[in-house]
Amino acid sequence: MVVPWVGIPMADFLARFEPNSNAKYVKFTTLYDPDQMPGQRRRVLDWPYVEGLTIAEAMNPLTLMVVGVYGKTLPNQNGAPMRLVVPWKYGFKSIKTINHIEFTETQPRNSWAISAPREYGFFANVNPKVDHPRWSQATERRIGTGLFTSKQDTLMFNGYGEQVAHLYSGLDLEKNF
Amino acid sequence: MNLASARATSVLKVVLFAASLVPLARLLLDVLGVGGLTLGANPVEELIHRLGKWGLNFLLITLAVTPVRRLTGLHWLVRYRRMLGLFTFFYITLHFESYTVVDHRLDISSIGEDIIERPYITLGVTALILLVPLAVTSTNGMMRRLGSRWRRLHRLVYVIAVLGVSHFYWQVKQDVQEPLIYAGILAVLLGFRVWVATKSSRHRLMRAA
């Protein structure tokens, strides 16, 4: 499915804070509130959830600071009140319920890479040629198509190669998964 | 009513058979969308997962028959073990079919690649293959033909159980709580047999001394 997110370009949002040339990365942290979020009561991951982008990725026109979906305000389970959407990366990069943003000089350690570094990295670009250690990423099934549809080939950068491939020229995407 | 009587056994077998089909019935209701029930946002994964879990549930129930018999003295429970074992095979076969037919659409090369390159699937397929001789030799005729070899063959169920739980554990992304619960229950059920086996050998040692 194609999700109709409602948001503003992250570039515009971040520009207000006038990051200087030392700002190489943006680090996002989510709310830590086990009372409201029962899933945080067990340390399945090292809460609060943390994610990051390079400054170039954050400034790309596709990166959105999202506040709504389907024309309505974002529901809690979709990451209210504000969440990130980075459509050319795997879903875990699109951190929900952001309540802290930092510009950093060094690459932030994102939650999934901390808990399973062999399986999840910082870049997490959608890439059919780079398998997860335990399963393939070469094919996908479109959400909403039901039980009896075929899988389709996964597209490099989730189909957004034209808009984002230039960010990674010269970067070995197999090592930097 | 005497639950060990032949009459009670016939009735209970029908009841157990019907009860064992309930998970499948519920799954069908979800697939058909009856009464607003669904398989959720990722129906293929939910289908595979649900069938696999019920396969494991029946496997653990089957393995629980012997300990429960011993602890309660209700030795006639063994009459239901074959049906429980065959329902295990039934749900695991459906689990495998949902993976090959619904998920992979019978694409032999991608299924083959999965079996060879994804260790957790290798374990799962091995467990399924090992279940086949057990299912085939489940009849009274086979039990007679094989004699003492039947018992030795059916000890494979211990290997199958370990493979099955490992397959589950290895498939999970991060939250290992559920597979660990299954592993814990399996450890108790297998540990019981170890305890019984060592108890009888300790007994023999004591008597010899």
Side-chain angles (χ1 to χ4, degrees):
Chain A
M1 63 186 344
V2 180
V3 183
W5 298 110
V6 179
I8 55 177
M10 182 63 78
D12 293 353
F13 180 87
L14 293 177
R16 296 170 183 225
F17 306 102
E18 297 171 3
N20 60 34
S21 57
N22 289 331
K24 302 282 193 287
Y25 299 90
V26 189
K27 176 181 171 185
F28 303 91
T29 308
T30 199
L31 177 67
Y32 178 62
D33 187 354
D35 287 334
Q36 272 196 84
M37 302 176 178
Q40 287 182 335
R41 290 175 201 170
R42 285 193 297 125
R43 292 204 87 68
V44 174
L45 289 175
D46 212 355
W47 314 117
Y49 196 77
V50 170
E51 261 303 336
L53 297 171
T54 65
I55 197 83
E57 289 175 331
M59 295 304 185
N60 186 283
L62 285 180
T63 309
L64 284 187
M65 181 59 103
V66 163
V67 294
V69 70
Y70 288 103
K72 303 198 171 141
T73 310
L74 210 55
N76 290 349
Q77 63 270 28
N78 293 110
M82 292 195 306
R83 68 165 297 161
L84 175 65
V85 166
V86 213
W88 72 95
K89 293 177 182 288
Y90 291 121
F92 70 85
K93 292 291 296 178
S94 293
I95 182 173
K96 295 149 74 167
T97 313
I98 299 169
N99 81 335
H100 187 85
I101 305 179
E102 250 176 275
F103 294 108
T104 65
E105 288 185 71
T106 53
Q107 191 180 93
R109 296 184 69 224
N110 49 318
S111 297
W112 278 97
I114 293 172
S115 78
R118 272 193 56 227
E119 304 190 345
Y120 305 100
F122 175 78
F123 288 96
N125 291 324
V126 175
N127 189 339
K129 294 179 286 193
V130 177
D131 288 344
H132 182 283
R134 288 184 282 150
W135 43 77
S136 165
Q137 293 292 152
T139 56
E140 62 189 24
R141 179 173 282 105
R142 243 183 155 188
I143 289 179
T145 55
L147 209 47
F148 300 110
T149 46
S150 301
K151 283 183 156 171
Q152 58 191 38
D153 290 335
T154 301
L155 297 173
M156 188 71 196
F157 299 117
N158 208 18
Y160 294 105
E162 211 181 294
Q163 289 84 0
V164 301
H166 66 274
L167 296 171
Y168 310 103
S169 57
L171 191 66
D172 181 342
L173 289 178
E174 212 179 304
K175 287 208 196 85
N176 296 284
F177 57 87
Chain B
M1 187 184 218
N2 177 11
L3 292 175
S5 71
R7 189 137 171 270
T9 304
S10 310
V11 172
L12 284 176
K13 277 193 173 172
V14 172
V15 171
L16 182 61
F17 193 90
S20 301
L21 285 174
V22 168
L24 184 64
R26 219 178 51 203
L27 203 50
L28 279 170
L29 289 178
D30 286 340
V31 168
L32 296 172
V34 173
L37 294 172
T38 68
L39 286 174
N42 194 346
V44 175
E45 184 186 88
E46 177 65 15
L47 179 68
I48 296 172
H49 196 77
R50 199 101 65 96
L51 289 167
K53 263 218 294 189
W54 275 104
L56 274 182
N57 290 345
F58 275 94
L59 182 54
L60 292 182
I61 294 171
T62 310
L63 284 172
V65 171
T66 294
V68 170
R69 280 178 78 204
R70 282 214 120 176
L71 294 173
T72 61
L74 300 172
H75 293 286
W76 46 264
L77 284 175
V78 74
R79 297 176 199 162
Y80 305 95
R81 191 173 61 188
R82 167 164 54 200
M83 187 185 292
L84 291 167
L86 287 173
F87 266 106
T88 304
F89 181 63
F90 176 64
Y91 280 105
I92 297 297
T93 303
L94 285 180
H95 169 72
F96 182 66
E97 278 170 8
S98 64
Y99 161 76
T100 52
V101 175
V102 181
D103 192 7
H104 279 269
R105 321 270 294 170
L106 291 177
D107 179 349
I108 306 285
S109 71
S110 87
I111 296 169
E113 189 189 310
D114 259 4
I115 294 175
I116 296 169
E117 294 189 22
R118 321 290 161 203
Y120 83 95
I121 296 185
T122 320
L123 290 186
V125 168
T126 307
L128 174 61
I129 291 174
L130 291 178
L131 269 173
V132 173
L134 267 60
V136 165
T137 59
S138 62
T139 60
N140 289 337
M142 273 297 182
M143 286 173 73
R144 276 195 296 268
R145 265 190 26 202
L146 292 176
S148 63
R149 284 173 296 165
W150 187 92
R151 200 181 205 158
R152 270 184 278 148
L153 172 66
H154 279 253
R155 289 213 185 111
L156 264 180
V157 72
Y158 304 141
V159 174
I160 292 165
V162 171
L163 289 176
V165 172
S166 307
H167 165 76
F168 185 15
Y169 182 93
W170 221 340
Q171 174 270 335
V172 153
K173 280 201 181 67
Q174 179 72 6
D175 188 355
V176 293
Q177 188 187 59
E178 225 184 338
L180 282 180
I181 292 173
Y182 277 79
I185 296 173
L186 181 61
V188 168
L189 295 176
L190 295 181
F192 176 87
R193 285 152 171 93
V194 172
W195 176 68
V196 165
T198 55
K199 195 168 80 132
S200 49
S201 55
R202 266 185 275 126
H203 233 252
R204 273 183 259 122
L205 282 173
M206 280 161 59
R207 282 196 299 185

